[in-house]
Amino acid sequence: MSGVGKNHRRGAESRRSGQRACACVRMDWERRLRARLAARRAPKKSEQELKDEEMELFTKYYMEWKGGKKSDNTSYANIPRFYYRLPAEDEVLLQKLREESRAVFLQRKSRELLDNEELQNLWFLLDKHQTSPMIGEEAMINYENFLKVGEKAGPKCKQFFTAKIFAKLLHNDPYGRISIMQFFNYVMRKVWLHQTRIGLSLYDVAGQGYLRESDLENYILELIPTLPQLDGLEKSFYSFYVCTAVRKFFFFLDPLRTGKIKIQDILACSFLDDLLEDYKTYLDFVLALENRKEPAALQYIFKLLDIENKGHLNVFSLNYFFRAIQEQMKIHGQEPVSFQDVKDEIFDMVKPKDPYKISLQDLINSSQGDTVTSILIDLNGFWTYENREVLVASDSDSAADGDDT
């Protein structure tokens, strides 16, 4: 067969193949069109049918995930258990086991902290690697020597010798150094916080990160003998000290009065630092109230009354404190006394040099300082003053009765 005949036959076959392909495409297109038109004419599914279909699909996919896909994913087997229920009250053995486990854990954490000998060694290394020149009397250290000390100080100190901590303590030194004393105080503060957290956690009976009032009382009571600042404090004062300190914690850290405060909140506030000054202020206040006739006591109370810090008491400051007395009288069912009358009586008793204000010296010179302060800050003191004539008459009658007998 000639080449022309072959080409003609191939062309005819190609045309027939193209025609068949076009026919198939046309038939597929017609079938899809009919299906779409039929779907439009089909009735819509009801809401319940749609919900059933949705539930069927959900069940299908969930069972596939639970039965097939879950077994294919090995990472699920590596997820550790992260929730352990607390033992019930009647599960005594589990409770004891939990307490012992917590005690062992806290002891291990305590051993991880720097002790006094290790802190002294750290200070020696820092002082040995200081970088001159000094700023006044303050020794400095650069980053290179800082890292050298970190290598020699031991594994417990490793957490403190990081670029982040160095940058945090870096200020405006022209040589890019930090203060050795500031760094050492930073380490001491961190160690103290961890020690205190462990100490407080030992009194956390529930083991859930908070202390009840009795827990905190026990902690502070056992803390007192270890505080050198309170060395020599009479044991009879321990209860006052503990009560005052605990009430301050709960007054500020438990505003909703739940009866418990978080250990984290105790550490975050400054009350532990102020624990000693708590008590000193309390003693000063008690001593001042019990010795109101003494000039030193009047000076202490006068500073409290001088709320504007002007060095004298005026009508505003007197009224500010007497309002509380009036409120207490209402609570106890007594008829409130006019402040204007009380103010006039106070000025008549003191007889200040300036008729509009009372100085501390005016109060001392009048010999009426104890009476004036009682009127302003003590309901019982005010009641005694207000009923002085009745009380005097009563005492006179009692004395007369005694003479008759």
Side-chain angles (χ1 to χ4, degrees):
M1 184 181 291
S2 66
V4 175
K6 290 181 179 180
N7 290 337
H8 177 75
R9 190 175 66 182
R10 289 196 192 100
E13 290 177 353
S14 299
R15 284 194 296 273
R16 284 195 296 271
S17 297
Q19 289 171 357
R20 284 196 300 270
C22 289
C24 290
V25 171
R26 185 169 61 253
M27 289 175 64
D28 184 63
W29 180 83
E30 290 175 352
R31 186 168 57 253
R32 291 190 180 189
L33 180 60
R34 289 194 190 96
R36 178 165 295 189
L37 291 174
R40 288 183 178 178
R41 289 194 296 269
K44 292 184 178 180
K45 294 182 180 179
S46 65
E47 185 176 349
Q48 185 59 42
E49 289 175 332
L50 291 173
K51 287 184 178 179
D52 292 341
E53 184 179 351
E54 182 181 351
M55 179 56 68
E56 183 180 353
L57 289 172
F58 171 77
T59 305
K60 174 187 173 185
Y61 294 137
Y62 177 76
M63 294 305 294
E64 287 179 357
W65 169 80
K66 185 177 180 182
K69 293 187 177 179
K70 183 179 179 182
S71 60
D72 297 336
N73 193 339
T74 57
S75 65
Y76 290 105
N78 299 325
I79 298 178
R81 182 178 178 183
F82 56 87
Y83 172 75
Y84 297 86
R85 71 174 183 86
L86 295 176
E89 293 183 2
D90 57 344
E91 295 176 320
V92 180
L93 184 60
L94 289 179
Q95 286 186 344
K96 290 292 183 182
L97 178 61
R98 184 168 182 267
E99 290 176 9
E100 289 298 322
S101 300
R102 288 185 67 250
V104 171
F105 171 76
L106 292 173
Q107 289 173 4
R108 186 173 74 246
K109 286 295 182 182
S110 181
R111 289 193 295 269
E112 293 175 359
L113 300 177
L114 294 169
D115 56 30
N116 289 335
E117 184 177 345
E118 290 166 329
L119 286 169
Q120 290 177 2
N121 181 57
L122 174 61
W123 175 257
F124 171 77
L125 289 172
L126 288 168
D127 185 61
K128 184 178 179 181
H129 289 80
Q130 61 177 279
T131 308
S132 58
M134 298 178 66
I135 298 180
E137 298 182 356
E138 191 165 10
M140 310 293 287
I141 187 170
N142 61 17
Y143 188 62
E144 182 181 357
N145 288 341
F146 177 79
L147 294 179
K148 289 180 181 179
V149 174
E151 293 174 358
K152 297 178 180 179
K156 287 186 181 180
C157 295
K158 186 177 181 180
Q159 58 178 314
F160 301 113
F161 288 88
T162 65
K164 183 177 180 180
I165 292 177
F166 188 90
K168 184 186 295 186
L169 299 175
L170 183 63
H171 295 300
N172 298 322
D173 182 68
Y175 303 99
R177 305 167 302 170
I178 62 173
S179 165
I180 288 178
M181 180 59 72
Q182 286 184 8
F183 172 72
F184 189 73
N185 286 338
Y186 173 84
V187 174
M188 290 279 288
R189 178 69 178 174
K190 287 291 185 180
V191 172
W192 179 83
L193 281 173
H194 286 299
Q195 287 176 338
T196 306
R197 185 182 187 90
I198 292 171
L200 290 169
S201 297
L202 289 172
Y203 292 83
D204 177 11
V205 177
Q208 297 190 42
Y210 63 79
L211 296 183
R212 301 168 302 176
E213 193 164 344
S214 59
D215 300 331
L216 190 56
E217 286 176 353
N218 292 332
Y219 170 76
I220 295 177
L221 187 62
E222 296 185 18
L223 183 68
I224 292 175
T226 68
L227 299 175
Q229 294 90 336
L230 294 181
D231 186 28
L233 180 67
E234 292 289 337
K235 288 190 175 182
S236 58
F237 284 99
Y238 279 19
S239 59
F240 294 104
Y241 178 84
V242 172
C243 180
T244 306
V246 170
R247 288 318 308 156
K248 182 174 181 179
F249 278 103
F250 274 84
F251 182 82
F252 289 101
L253 301 183
D254 183 28
L256 299 180
R257 301 300 178 256
T258 62
K260 57 186 181 182
I261 49 181
K262 293 181 179 179
I263 292 177
Q264 184 176 352
D265 292 342
I266 296 176
L267 294 171
C269 72
S270 62
F271 295 166
L272 285 173
D273 294 332
D274 301 336
L275 198 59
L276 303 177
E277 302 299 328
D278 257 17
Y279 190 60
K280 291 178 182 177
T281 302
Y282 170 75
L283 287 180
D284 288 344
F285 183 70
V286 171
L287 289 171
L289 290 182
E290 291 180 351
N291 300 275
R292 298 182 205 183
K293 292 184 178 182
E294 299 296 328
L298 287 176
Q299 183 178 11
Y300 181 91
I301 298 174
F302 187 88
K303 289 181 179 179
L304 299 179
L305 298 176
D306 183 14
I307 55 176
E308 297 180 293
N309 199 27
K310 291 184 176 180
H312 63 261
L313 307 180
N314 53 22
V315 174
F316 172 80
S317 54
L318 297 180
N319 186 38
Y320 178 85
F321 284 95
F322 190 71
R323 282 203 304 267
I325 298 295
Q326 290 176 319
E327 290 297 326
Q328 288 295 316
M329 294 180 71
K330 291 179 183 178
I331 293 173
H332 289 82
Q334 300 177 11
E335 187 67 26
V337 178
S338 168
F339 167 72
Q340 190 65 33
D341 296 338
V342 173
K343 183 261 296 182
D344 292 341
E345 290 187 35
I346 289 175
F347 273 88
D348 287 342
M349 282 190 289
V350 177
K351 296 181 176 56
K353 292 182 179 179
D354 189 319
Y356 298 102
K357 55 189 179 183
I358 298 173
S359 67
L360 172 61
Q361 197 59 48
D362 291 331
L363 206 59
I364 295 174
N365 293 340
S366 69
S367 299
Q368 299 291 328
D370 59 325
T371 303
V372 172
T373 54
S374 296
I375 290 173
L376 294 175
I377 65 175
D378 184 1
L379 177 60
N380 291 329
F382 172 76
W383 186 89
T384 301
Y385 172 78
E386 188 68 9
N387 297 276
R388 60 192 182 281
E389 296 178 358
V390 176
L391 293 174
V392 170
S394 178
D395 291 341
S396 298
D397 293 341
S398 298
D401 292 340
D403 292 339
D404 292 340
T405 57

